[in-house]
Amino acid sequence: MENTVTKREKFSYGMYFMGQNVFYGLIGYMTTYFTDIGITAALVAVVALITKVWDAINDPIFGMIMDKVHFKKGKFLPWLRMSVIAIPVSTILLFVIPTGIPLVAKLIWATLAYMLWDTAYTLCDVPIFGIVTTMTLDQKERVSLNSIGRIFAIFAGIVTGILLPLVRQSLGGWATTVIVLSILSAAMMIPMCLFAKERVIEREKARDGGAEENYTLRDMVECLRSNKYLLIFFAAPLISGLLNVGATWGLYIARYCLGGEEIASFVSMAVIVPTLIGAAIAVQLCKKYDKFKIFYFFALILGIVRYIAGYENMMVYVILNALGGFPLGIAAILQYQFTPDCYEYGQYKTGLKMRGVTFAAQTFFTKLNGAVAAAVS
């Protein structure tokens, strides 16, 4: 049995993240879209908070389902194949709300579509992060896979930030733009579904004679309760989420402070090179220094840079945003490097192989951070 993750698998892993993060980037414009069709900012906050109630329920449920359901063709790959359909469909539904319907109907559509998108995103986010633990046991290969995924994700986020403000009006508005980007993004996610191999699962089945473990709800609660590092690491960013309102304001700032939507694209362009340099350096730093120290040090720098950025002087604004890209790249690479380690710590403490529950916790806190930032802003 082949033990090394191939270059084709690594590239496919990166491409999946690129497609997935275009979808995530599109949701970053959700507040702007909702207000454009007549939903007030206060009501947008209500929609986001209502959706998070469902999110609080569906993430643990899907984590448990993924740990209990045993497909013949892998643990995470079947879910990734489902997500290639689920995530583009739900994203498109969120951005095709008819402008002529009553406000109450818009709110119902927006809430249900956002809940559907949230569920679809869980369907793709939990398995794509969790699959590194089933593709290889080698820590260096896991760091390599996670780093590739983060670099592609950063690139997708920046490209979305550049592309959408430039093409949205020329393509005919929100609906057409989202449909085009959704089709392209889904195509990027397909290679991972075709080429990835879950070697660890195959070896575990061979070793255990094909027997599958079945966990109770009590086992799953114990898995999370005993994993203090998982809870600490993902609960802490909620504090920064209270301050991370700038991402939600992107198009508003460009429209009303900088002179037009297209300025947001130019600012994103200035961030590309520093962010990618930071991401590349983070990979090398991980080989020499403790991941936790690197992460918190550079996350602090990023926060200070973002805090002092102003817009009165356009040149200063662009330069500070570009400088902020460097620690942003480092933080983005490191943020998701810890979950596989937390999973293995939980397995050490409890003896339970609960990959789904562990990575569902990651997805829950990631989406909760975004909702908190949107609601506060």
Side-chain angles (χ1 to χ4, degrees), residues 11-119:
F11 180 74
S12 299
Y13 189 76
M15 288 298 293
Y16 188 97
F17 269 102
M18 181 175 287
Q20 181 206 39
N21 278 270
V22 170
F23 288 117
Y24 193 78
L26 290 174
I27 294 302
Y29 292 104
M30 182 187 68
T31 300
T32 310
Y33 167 70
F34 283 168
T35 56
D36 282 353
I37 63 171
I39 301 175
T40 65
L43 290 175
V44 172
V46 173
V47 170
L49 290 176
I50 290 174
T51 305
K52 289 307 113 181
V53 174
W54 164 241
D55 191 29
I57 299 171
N58 87 64
D59 279 321
I61 289 175
F62 273 97
M64 290 185 287
I65 290 174
M66 288 178 188
D67 280 327
K68 292 182 73 68
V69 173
H70 306 294
F71 294 103
K72 292 183 179 180
K73 296 185 178 181
K75 183 172 186 63
F76 292 117
L77 274 174
W79 298 106
L80 292 179
R81 289 164 184 154
M82 295 178 202
S83 72
V84 172
I85 297 175
I87 193 71
V89 169
S90 59
T91 304
I92 291 170
L93 284 175
L94 194 57
F95 284 89
V96 293
I97 301 175
T99 57
I101 62 178
L103 179 59
V104 173
K106 290 178 182 177
L107 287 173
I108 294 173
W109 186 316
T111 303
L112 294 178
Y114 194 14
M115 291 172 67
L116 181 62
W117 182 89
D118 190 276
T119 304

Side-chain angles (χ1 to χ4, degrees), residues 38-342:
I39 301 175
T40 65
L43 290 175
V44 172
V46 173
V47 170
L49 290 176
I50 290 174
T51 305
K52 289 307 113 181
V53 174
W54 164 241
D55 191 29
I57 299 171
N58 87 64
D59 279 321
I61 289 175
F62 273 97
M64 290 185 287
I65 290 174
M66 288 178 188
D67 280 327
K68 292 182 73 68
V69 173
H70 306 294
F71 294 103
K72 292 183 179 180
K73 296 185 178 181
K75 183 172 186 63
F76 292 117
L77 274 174
W79 298 106
L80 292 179
R81 289 164 184 154
M82 295 178 202
S83 72
V84 172
I85 297 175
I87 193 71
V89 169
S90 59
T91 304
I92 291 170
L93 284 175
L94 194 57
F95 284 89
V96 293
I97 301 175
T99 57
I101 62 178
L103 179 59
V104 173
K106 290 178 182 177
L107 287 173
I108 294 173
W109 186 316
T111 303
L112 294 178
Y114 194 14
M115 291 172 67
L116 181 62
W117 182 89
D118 190 276
T119 304
Y121 195 81
T122 301
L123 195 66
C124 73
D125 205 45
V126 174
I128 192 59
F129 280 106
I131 201 171
V132 298
T133 66
T134 64
M135 291 176 71
T136 179
L137 290 172
D138 188 283
Q139 289 291 335
K140 291 183 179 179
E141 286 193 330
R142 288 184 181 178
V143 169
S144 176
L145 280 168
N146 276 319
S147 299
I148 291 169
R150 288 295 85 207
I151 290 172
F152 275 74
I154 291 169
F155 185 75
I158 295 173
V159 169
T160 305
I162 295 171
L163 193 61
L164 190 139
L166 288 177
V167 305
R168 185 181 69 83
Q169 293 178 338
S170 61
L171 286 179
W174 287 105
T176 307
T177 303
V178 170
I179 290 171
V180 170
L181 291 179
S182 294
I183 293 172
L184 293 174
S185 300
M188 297 176 196
M189 298 164 71
I190 292 174
M192 181 64 185
C193 303
L194 299 177
F195 302 130
K197 294 182 180 179
E198 298 190 81
R199 299 167 182 80
V200 176
I201 292 296
E202 293 172 5
R203 285 198 291 266
E204 287 177 354
K205 286 183 178 180
R207 183 191 62 206
D208 299 335
E212 300 280 6
E213 294 183 274
N214 290 302
Y215 301 119
T216 64
L217 179 60
R218 179 179 295 180
D219 290 332
M220 296 173 186
V221 172
E222 177 64 18
C223 174
L224 291 176
R225 188 192 67 79
S226 303
N227 201 329
K228 61 180 181 180
Y229 294 111
L230 180 74
L231 297 176
I232 290 172
F233 185 74
F234 287 113
L238 286 175
I239 298 173
S240 64
L242 292 172
L243 304 174
N244 187 25
V245 298
T248 305
W249 293 347
L251 280 185
Y252 293 127
I253 292 174
R255 284 179 181 177
Y256 303 116
C257 300
L258 306 180
E261 284 188 17
E262 67 280 359
I263 303 298
S265 298
F266 299 135
V267 174
S268 297
M269 290 178 191
V271 176
I272 291 179
V273 174
T275 303
L276 293 178
I277 291 174
I281 290 176
V283 175
Q284 300 304 315
L285 289 175
C286 284
K287 297 178 181 179
K288 297 182 179 180
Y289 303 105
D290 183 87
K291 294 195 295 285
F292 280 93
K293 293 179 181 179
I294 298 170
F295 178 78
Y296 286 113
F297 177 72
F298 283 105
L300 175 62
I301 293 177
L302 173 61
I304 294 173
V305 171
R306 293 301 185 193
Y307 180 77
I308 64 175
Y311 64 86
E312 291 83 3
N313 186 304
M314 178 61 68
M315 182 62 68
V316 172
Y317 179 80
V318 172
I319 290 174
L320 288 176
N321 273 273
L323 291 175
F326 179 73
L328 175 64
I330 294 176
I333 287 291
L334 295 180
Q335 185 171 358
Y336 299 105
Q337 296 282 7
F338 304 102
T339 314
D341 299 339
C342 292

Side-chain angles (χ1 to χ4, degrees), residues 349-363:
K349 291 289 291 184
T350 65
L352 304 174
K353 301 173 184 176
M354 294 193 175
R355 296 177 174 91
V357 169
T358 302
F359 287 93
Q362 172 184 290
T363 300

